[in-house]
């Protein structure tokens, strides 16, 4: 079912903009969108009037701030009336799906200049309400009905992964330690605090075996990129980054209905399609941002993206290959765990980290010689997965 | 969990109180909750109601320590994926057991319990939970 996609032209990212991630009490959803959007337009060196389409990822304006219809809201406050504006929603993968819609719009030849964004304002409600909002990504009639939470669903994966493959508590903790270490060098990160394995395994239990420091935080933030056809990209920037693959796959909303709860089949399908589109293999990837909403998710992503064998995610973490300086540094931004996870903004923020890496602008996080990067973004517990592969060469 | 009006729950009473799922007449595969299209056979198959045994084993579990709204008084509580003897899986709380004693592979069976009370409407929701199947335990 995937073989039929035929992009008519190549697509480039010509500008990026991102807010700080964190508890941003002085900023509303619309403030965040405007900040990221204006930065992206300025970075691309274009005028707002050149934009022909806006696609914004937003998981749950309705539950987090009582505001739906955020597509129109984003365009309105960006001063872009009457440009068509679409809200994309796929839980935590909302803005990757927004990017994919924008990619399709440009690759098909329908539009030239498209603004892609993602934003979430999560700290305008109290904790239990935010927990309920996040739980709306899972099946309400079964998982939520029996009192499961979002960490609870990932805990079910973690417990089974430990049982089947012998994955250890310490291996999971090392993901959090690594990502906090990387975030020390990322000025937009929610946390700039080093943590130890001991800190993780002694932090408060949330849903056994997952503890507080296994979980990504509740963050506010927005991210935006500007897309253009590759043949117009050099007019705007000396260092465009090209989208070599844009893939997406779906699976059951509820975890228990899946073929295997230790594998995200949607990752397998999206990855296969992405590698085929880009004519690359997992070995060709120099740097990746993967969806580490919980520590176990990053280990499962290593396996499902083909970076290591099934069941060996924990050992792969221990091997040090995914650290900065390793063979394939993962989540150099700090990941969702430490950079923060404003759910609707995450997918585009991952892509922005890759653009910085591929253009040599990642500062102390720079992976030397990085030419090809992969972004892996998961919605819910794996019912949506979107994967983008980027390169600084066409 | 969000609070809903009565019909949201009422239309599920039969399924939830009696553990009724679906079975594809083409491939024989059972499902819970009910589906009207078999994901394998699609329109080649036909779904019919299937009363499930309510007996099975714990496939994976967690202990919820930070509960969502409506479940605070029950925490900490066990949520598990149960592999039913019928051949499908579902998610449920496991009760009548010390959370520390729960393990993967433990034999369990359904029991009829209160799920939660909605604060504003006063609606009391019921359904199945699972408890250890003493007769099947070593």
């Amino acid at each position: 079912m995937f073989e039929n996609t035929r992009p008519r032209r190549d697509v480039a990212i010509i500008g990026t903009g991102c807010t700080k991630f964190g508890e941003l009490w002085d900023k509303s959803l619309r403030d965040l969108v405007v900040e990221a959007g204006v930065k992206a337009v300025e970075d691309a060196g274009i005028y707002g009037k050149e934009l022909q389409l806006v696609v914004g990822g937003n998981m749950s304006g309705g539950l987090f701030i009582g505001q739906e219809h955020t597509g129109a809201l984003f365009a309105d406050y960006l001063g872009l009336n009457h440009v068509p504006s679409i809200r994309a929603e796929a839980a935590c993968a909302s803005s990757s799906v927004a990017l994919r819609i924008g990619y399709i719009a440009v690759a098909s030849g329908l539009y030239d200049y498209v603004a892609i964004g993602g934003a979430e304002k999560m700290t305008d409600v109290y904790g239990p309400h935010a927990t309920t909002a996040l739980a709306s990504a899972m099946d309400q009639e079964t998982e939520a009905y029996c009192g499961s939470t979002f960490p609870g669903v990932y805990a079910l994966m973690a417990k089974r992964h430990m049982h089947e493959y012998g994955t250890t508590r310490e291996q999971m903790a090392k993901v959090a330690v690594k990502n906090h270490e990387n975030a020390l060098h990322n000025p937009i990160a929610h946390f700039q605090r080093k943590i130890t394995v001991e800190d993780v395994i002694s932090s408060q239990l949330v849903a056994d075996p997952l503890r507080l420091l296994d979980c990504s935080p509740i963050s506010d933030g927005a991210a935006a990129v500007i897309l253009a056809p590759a043949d117009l990209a050099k007019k705007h920037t000396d260092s465009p980054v090209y989208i070599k693959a844009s893939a997406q796959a779906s699976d059951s909303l509820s975890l228990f209905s899946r073929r295997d709860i230790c594998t995200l089949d949607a990752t397998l399908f999206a990855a296969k399609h992405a590698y085929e589109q880009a004519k690359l293999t997992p070995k060709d990837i120099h740097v990746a941002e993967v969806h580490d909403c919980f520590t176990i998710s990053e280990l499962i992503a290593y396996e499902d993206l083909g970076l290591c064998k099934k069941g060996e995610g924990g050992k792969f973490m221990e091997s040090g290959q995914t650290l900065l300086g390793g063979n394939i540094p993962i989540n150099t931004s700090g990941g969702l765990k430490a950079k923060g996870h404003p759910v609707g903004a995450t997918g585009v923020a991952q892509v922005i980290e890759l653009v910085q890496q591929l253009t040599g602008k990642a500062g102390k996080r720079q992976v030397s010689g990085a030419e090809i990067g992969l972004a892996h973004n998961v919605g819910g517990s794996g019912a949506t997965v979107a994967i983008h592969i980027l390169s600084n060469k066409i | 969990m969000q609070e809903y009006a009565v019909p949201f729950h009422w239309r599920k009473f039969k399924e939830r109180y009696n553990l009724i799922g679906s079975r594809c007449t083409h491939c024989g595969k059972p499902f819970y909750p009910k589906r009207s299209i078999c994901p394998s056979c699609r329109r080649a198959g036909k779904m019919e109601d299937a009363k499930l045994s309510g007996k099975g084993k714990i496939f994976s579990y967690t202990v919820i320590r930070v509960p969502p709204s409506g479940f605070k008084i029950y925490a900490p509580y066990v949520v598990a994926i149960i592999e039913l003897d019928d051949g499908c899986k579902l998610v449920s709380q496991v009760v009548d057991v010390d959370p520390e004693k729960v393990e993967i592979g433990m034999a369990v069976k359904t029991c009829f319990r209160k799920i939660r009370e909605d604060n504003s409407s006063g609606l009391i929701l019921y359904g199945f939970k699972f408890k250890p199947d003493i007769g099947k335990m070593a």
Side-chain angles (χ1 to χ4, degrees), chain A residues 157-196:
Chain A
M157 292 187 210
K159 184 67 101 176
R160 187 72 199 182
H161 205 278
M162 294 168 96
H163 177 79
E164 277 191 34
Y165 302 113
T167 301
T168 66
R169 189 44 282 197
E170 286 73 18
Q171 288 169 339
M172 289 193 282
K174 282 183 176 173
V175 172
V177 172
K178 167 178 73 73
N179 293 349
H180 270 257
E181 179 88 34
N182 291 348
L184 287 174
H185 309 298
N186 187 352
I188 68 148
H190 189 153
F191 297 126
Q192 270 124 359
R193 182 165 68 91
K194 206 174 157 80
I195 59 169
T196 64

Side-chain angles (χ1 to χ4, degrees), chain A residues 237-259:
Chain A
T237 173
D238 294 332
S239 50
V241 168
Y242 302 95
I243 299 178
K244 302 304 288 181
S246 173
Q248 183 187 336
S250 312
D251 202 348
S252 302
L253 207 60
S254 52
L255 177 69
F256 66 86
S257 305
R258 309 234 179 99
R259 180 188 63 84

Side-chain angles (χ1 to χ4, degrees), chain A residues 121-136:
Chain A
K121 179 72 198 174
M122 301 174 75
T123 64
D124 275 356
V125 290
Y126 296 113
H129 193 99
T131 303
T132 302
L134 286 169
S136 69

Side-chain angles (χ1 to χ4, degrees), chain B residues 20-130:
Chain B
I20 293 176
S22 312
R23 189 181 302 276
C24 174
T25 55
H26 193 249
C27 68
K29 213 177 159 206
F31 298 91
Y32 186 88
K34 282 167 71 165
R35 283 173 181 262
S36 45
I37 295 175
C38 173
S40 306
C41 310
R42 291 194 287 275
R43 282 185 294 165
K46 188 173 166 296
M47 289 293 212
E48 58 181 24
D49 283 2
K51 171 93 177 78
L52 301 169
S53 70
K55 291 181 180 243
K57 289 193 173 104
I58 291 179
F59 186 76
S60 189
Y61 70 96
T62 180
V63 185
I64 303 289
R65 314 268 175 178
V66 182
S69 37
F71 289 89
K72 199 174 171 187
I73 59 164
Y74 302 102
Y77 53 89
V78 177
V79 166
I81 293 180
I82 317 284
E83 190 166 29
L84 292 177
D85 294 346
D86 310 81
C88 67
K89 296 193 189 86
L90 52 71
V91 66
S92 172
Q93 282 191 31
V94 177
V95 294
D96 294 359
V97 62
D98 176 355
E100 304 301 324
K101 300 264 166 63
V102 173
E103 52 188 40
I104 290 176
M106 180 183 255
V108 289
K109 62 180 180 182
T110 43
C111 51
F112 188 72
R113 293 295 165 90
K114 183 163 118 181
I115 303 292
R116 71 168 210 274
E117 286 177 32
D118 275 358
N119 295 326
S120 56
S121 65
L123 205 62
I124 301 173
L125 303 174
Y126 296 91
F128 61 81
K129 291 182 182 176
F130 280 71

Side-chain angles (χ1 to χ4, degrees), chain A residues 61-291:
Chain A
L63 292 174
F64 285 119
I65 58 167
Q67 180 71 63
E68 303 288 12
H69 209 170
T70 49
L73 176 76
F74 291 178
D76 182 9
Y77 275 75
L78 285 163
L80 293 176
N81 289 337
H82 308 278
V83 174
S85 182
I86 302 168
R87 167 184 171 178
E89 190 274 308
C92 319
S94 295
S95 62
S96 285
V97 171
L99 177 63
R100 192 168 145 69
I101 294 169
Y103 169 83
I104 292 167
V106 178
S108 67
L110 198 61
Y111 293 104
D112 283 339
Y113 294 105
V114 176
I116 304 299
E120 210 74 50
K121 179 72 198 174
M122 301 174 75
T123 64
D124 275 356
V125 290
Y126 296 113
H129 193 99
T131 303
T132 302
L134 286 169
S136 69
M138 55 192 202
D139 186 12
Q140 291 299 295
E141 294 191 359
T142 54
E143 293 170 317
Y145 187 81
C146 78
S148 191
T149 57
F150 202 51
V153 173
Y154 275 91
L156 292 168
M157 292 187 210
K159 184 67 101 176
R160 187 72 199 182
H161 205 278
M162 294 168 96
H163 177 79
E164 277 191 34
Y165 302 113
T167 301
T168 66
R169 189 44 282 197
E170 286 73 18
Q171 288 169 339
M172 289 193 282
K174 282 183 176 173
V175 172
V177 172
K178 167 178 73 73
N179 293 349
H180 270 257
E181 179 88 34
N182 291 348
L184 287 174
H185 309 298
N186 187 352
I188 68 148
H190 189 153
F191 297 126
Q192 270 124 359
R193 182 165 68 91
K194 206 174 157 80
I195 59 169
T196 64
V197 167
E198 186 52 39
D199 291 335
V200 180
I201 63 181
S202 61
S203 63
Q204 185 201 337
L205 268 168
V206 174
D208 311 26
L210 299 180
R211 294 172 179 269
L212 188 63
L213 290 179
D214 286 298
C215 308
S216 54
I218 286 175
S219 320
D220 305 323
V225 296
I226 308 295
L227 302 184
D231 55 6
L232 294 177
K234 288 272 184 175
K235 259 176 63 180
H236 301 278
T237 173
D238 294 332
S239 50
V241 168
Y242 302 95
I243 299 178
K244 302 304 288 181
S246 173
Q248 183 187 336
S250 312
D251 202 348
S252 302
L253 207 60
S254 52
L255 177 69
F256 66 86
S257 305
R258 309 234 179 99
R259 180 188 63 84
D260 173 13
I261 69 166
C262 297
T263 302
L264 266 58
D265 277 355
T267 300
L268 297 184
F269 279 96
K272 181 173 184 291
H273 181 45
Y275 291 134
E276 281 173 9
Q277 257 184 70
K279 300 185 179 66
L280 295 169
T281 71
K283 286 195 170 62
D284 300 316
I285 307 297
H286 299 144
V287 56
E289 290 284 302
V290 309
H291 198 88

